[in-house]
Amino acid sequence: MSRSAGRIGWFLVWAVVFCDIGTSLYYVPGLLYATTGDHAGFFVLSTMVAFVFLCIKEVEITRRFPSGGGVVSLSDKAFGPWFGALGGQLIMVDFFLTVAISAVSGVYYIDSVWHVGGVLPVTLGCLAALCVLNIVGIKESASVSLVLAIAAFTVDIAVVGTALWRAPPEVLMRIPAEFASIRELGPRELLVGYAGAWLAFSGLESMSQLAPAMRDLGPTPRKGMIAVVASVLITAPVLTFLSTASLPVEIKAHEPERFLSELASVWGGHGLKLAVVLSASSLLLFAANTAIIGNYHVMMALVRREFLPAALGSLAHRFQTPYRAIVLCTVVPAAVLVAVQADILLLGELYAFGLLGAFVLSSTGIDVLRWKEGQRGWAFWLGVATSVAVIVAFVVNLVAKEKATIFGTSIAAVGMLVALATRTGWTARMLEKVPRLRPPSEVERSETVFFTVEQAAAQRTEGAVNVIVASRGATRKIFKEAVDRAKARGLTQVYAIYIDEVPGLFYPQLAAPTPEGLTVLEAASAVIESMGMKAVPVWALSHSAAA
């Protein structure tokens, strides 16, 4: 398949990834301050070294797996299918927490200007609305990401510029004092701070999911990632330094969820604070929706690999969206929010397990593939060092954040048990005992051979106006009209196309026609061939059937 116009270039890649990573700016400084105090900026800056090398590996993942899949595809190829399933479980844990922490942070920022009368109920209402919108089939576009990313980055730069311009020297001098006081920390504090700072880079995994939509897999991911690294370097550590140096102790201690808006208020007044709140809340709620979309795509990939029950991938008859998976993607984060009572610090404690676990599999997976391919140069050993850095952060979090370990391990273990039960057929045997869930005793299996758009185009009649019929239903009258038109032009074949629409920005890693699509293609082929013409059934996947 050619990659050309209509696909996203490096600037839109930057926008989508920055929309994910950029949201961390709104809550990570407060979370880090709770564990590292005024040293939060130092740890964000120091962790960026390993982050940059991990970005290089993420670009390689994007190139190696052009159909997407990220950590699932990589772990499968590097370690085997069960590690692919484990990678899926870890990234799902990450997505669950991303939805929860992004949604509640967005509402907290709104509450800092307009009191909403209860952050938790409003957040649950937002999740319910996102659930409904995704079931209906909300389309997540890169152009929306671009607008939000530019707005958020512009406001971030405005906050940095205003703070640097207006802050007196005695405030700015607190920043080098943070570096000087690092030697007072013990090994345990240094390791905990380093491991916790990785939360600032959550969202990096979205790069590889964009592969199917990229214009090319050469300069596009490389330039997009360079832009991401540059924008994160300019904003994340600087805003963290300025927040810890500028904000009063009572705000840092009691309002960790709104550091950036308070920083804007201190040096830019209400107007700049309002700009931060509007950009932050929009971006955070958008990130929550992106995580829901990414999560149900992971679930659908695991369903296709038979690691989750097929029932979870059932499509809504009216909207053709995986409504059960979407509901699960919103119910779990909602349950987590209720359990922690929207405590942003506790959510931060839970967050690290899935994120760092997925990073470990991604980084070590690339090392394994490079080793198998005979790579032994400096790039390989630098990659190994990056893996060691990520593994250290993961192990430290396992020990230092017991709640995150218990939560993440429990969710991943349940997921792996479900995967085992599904793969061994135990789940299907149990479901067969439920009358309404029992499959029919006789199933007609399709023998229809369908073509991609590119394969069908290769069969077209040169020099003639070919006839193609598109239908969402098995309508005999439409197929007959297409045959009549083809005969009038002296053609010997008719193309029949069915397009399955995929909501969201990301394409599924493995794709096949839905049952409805197969039914339409079979009916079209039968009608066309019964009238003495050759049928060429064509199937395609798109965010928009009309386009």
Side-chain angles (χ1 to χ4, degrees):
M1 179 171 60
S2 62
R3 295 176 175 270
S4 55
R7 293 183 175 272
I8 64 176
W10 71 266
F11 196 41
L12 285 176
V13 170
W14 164 80
V16 174
V17 179
F18 186 74
C19 272
D20 275 355
I21 295 183
T23 56
S24 304
L25 294 173
Y26 301 114
Y27 51 80
V28 168
L31 297 179
L32 274 179
Y33 179 83
T35 56
T36 65
D38 288 332
H39 302 108
F42 165 79
F43 286 111
V44 171
L45 183 61
S46 60
T47 307
M48 276 211 68
V49 177
F51 165 74
V52 170
F53 291 117
L54 190 61
C55 287
I56 296 173
K57 285 188 168 182
E58 192 67 22
V59 171
E60 183 172 341
I61 295 172
T62 303
R63 291 173 174 167
R64 283 179 178 269
F65 302 96
S67 60
V71 66
V72 178
S73 298
L74 174 61
S75 301
D76 189 341
K77 185 173 182 179
F79 305 111
W82 284 102
F83 280 91
L86 177 60
Q89 303 302 331
L90 291 173
I91 206 67
M92 283 166 56
V93 173
D94 179 33
F95 278 135
F96 285 141
L97 269 300
T98 297
V99 173
I101 202 167
S102 296
V104 76
S105 296
V107 176
Y108 269 123
Y109 270 92
I110 294 172
D111 186 64
S112 69
V113 176
W114 302 285
H115 296 295
V116 298
V119 169
L120 180 57
V122 172
T123 305
L124 295 178
C126 291
L127 290 181
L130 290 176
C131 179
V132 172
L133 287 173
N134 277 283
I135 291 175
V136 170
I138 185 173
K139 300 295 187 294
E140 175 148 323
S141 67
S143 58
V144 176
S145 300
L146 180 61
V147 172
L148 292 176
I150 291 175
F153 185 67
T154 302
V155 173
D156 292 343
I157 295 300
V159 174
V160 170
T162 302
L164 292 176
W165 178 259
R166 294 187 174 179
E170 58 267 23
V171 171
L172 296 180
M173 287 306 296
R174 294 173 188 167
I175 296 176
E178 291 182 25
F179 283 92
S181 62
I182 289 298
R183 59 176 175 267
E184 300 173 4
L185 300 179
R188 185 183 188 283
E189 288 81 4
L190 288 171
L191 287 172
V192 170
Y194 161 74
W198 277 96
L199 292 181
F201 311 115
S202 171
L204 176 63
E205 64 277 6
S206 62
M207 166 68 83
S208 58
Q209 298 294 338
L210 293 173
M214 288 185 187
R215 184 170 298 161
D216 61 73
L217 294 178
T220 294
R222 184 183 69 253
K223 291 180 179 179
M225 189 59 83
I226 291 173
V228 168
V229 171
S231 54
V232 171
L233 180 61
I234 293 170
T235 55
V238 178
L239 286 169
T240 306
F241 277 124
L242 290 171
S243 296
T244 54
S246 303
L247 296 179
V249 175
E250 59 270 17
I251 290 179
K252 291 189 288 188
H254 302 294
E255 298 183 8
E257 67 279 350
R258 55 187 68 159
F259 265 31
L260 196 54
S261 63
E262 294 302 326
L263 175 65
S265 179
V266 167
W267 302 119
H270 184 74
L272 188 57
K273 178 179 180 178
L274 185 60
V276 169
V277 168
L278 291 175
S279 61
S281 56
S282 300
L283 194 62
L284 285 162
L285 292 174
F286 184 80
N289 186 64
T290 301
I292 291 172
I293 293 173
N295 206 1
Y296 74 67
H297 277 310
V298 172
M299 290 183 181
M300 295 293 282
L302 293 177
V303 167
R304 287 187 288 271
R305 292 167 178 257
E306 298 182 346
F307 286 119
L308 285 177
L312 189 63
S314 298
L315 301 181
H317 180 70
R318 180 174 181 180
F319 302 113
Q320 294 298 294
T321 52
Y323 65 101
R324 290 173 178 166
I326 292 170
V327 169
L328 184 61
C329 290
T330 50
V331 167
V332 173
V336 171
L337 284 169
V338 171
V340 303
Q341 288 298 293
D343 186 336
I344 196 77
L345 293 178
L346 191 50
L347 283 172
E349 287 287 311
L350 299 177
Y351 199 1
F353 181 89
L355 173 69
L356 286 171
F359 280 170
V360 167
L361 282 179
S362 295
S363 187
T364 57
I366 287 294
D367 294 336
V368 169
L369 293 183
R370 289 174 176 175
W371 179 270
K372 290 180 178 179
E373 293 166 0
Q375 299 185 36
R376 301 291 189 276
W378 65 267
F380 170 77
W381 293 110
L382 191 59
V384 171
T386 303
S387 296
V388 171
V390 178
I391 291 171
V392 168
F394 182 55
V395 173
V396 170
N397 270 288
L398 289 179
V399 177
K401 298 184 177 180
E402 295 179 359
K403 293 177 181 178
T405 302
I406 294 171
F407 172 80
T409 303
S410 300
I411 296 293
V414 169
M416 292 303 289
L417 288 175
V418 171
L420 179 62
T422 304
R423 265 298 178 98
T424 57
W426 184 87
T427 303
R429 291 193 294 273
M430 291 299 101
L431 292 177
E432 286 178 2
K433 298 180 180 180
V434 182
R436 292 184 63 85
L437 296 180
R438 184 185 302 124
S441 56
E442 295 183 5
V443 180
E444 292 186 6
R445 298 198 175 275
S446 170
E447 299 297 333
T448 301
V449 176
F450 58 87
F451 301 89
T452 65
V453 174
E454 290 80 6
Q455 291 169 337
Q459 301 187 33
R460 69 186 185 278
T461 303
E462 296 292 344
V465 180
N466 293 273
V467 175
I468 184 170
V469 54
S471 178
R472 295 292 293 177
T475 309
R476 182 181 178 86
K477 183 178 180 180
I478 295 176
F479 302 143
K480 183 178 182 301
E481 174 67 18
V483 171
D484 290 340
R485 295 192 178 207
K487 287 183 176 179
R489 290 170 171 77
L491 302 173
T492 59
Q493 62 185 19
V494 173
Y495 296 89
I497 187 170
Y498 185 90
I499 302 172
D500 276 314
E501 287 193 322
V502 178
L505 178 64
F506 307 123
Y507 283 100
Q509 171 189 352
L510 301 173
T514 58
E516 293 82 0
L518 285 175
T519 299
V520 172
L521 293 178
E522 289 173 353
S525 298
V527 172
I528 293 169
E529 292 179 356
S530 70
M531 299 180 68
M533 298 286 283
K534 177 186 176 183
V536 183
V538 184
W539 177 76
L541 198 64
S542 175
H543 297 314
S544 170

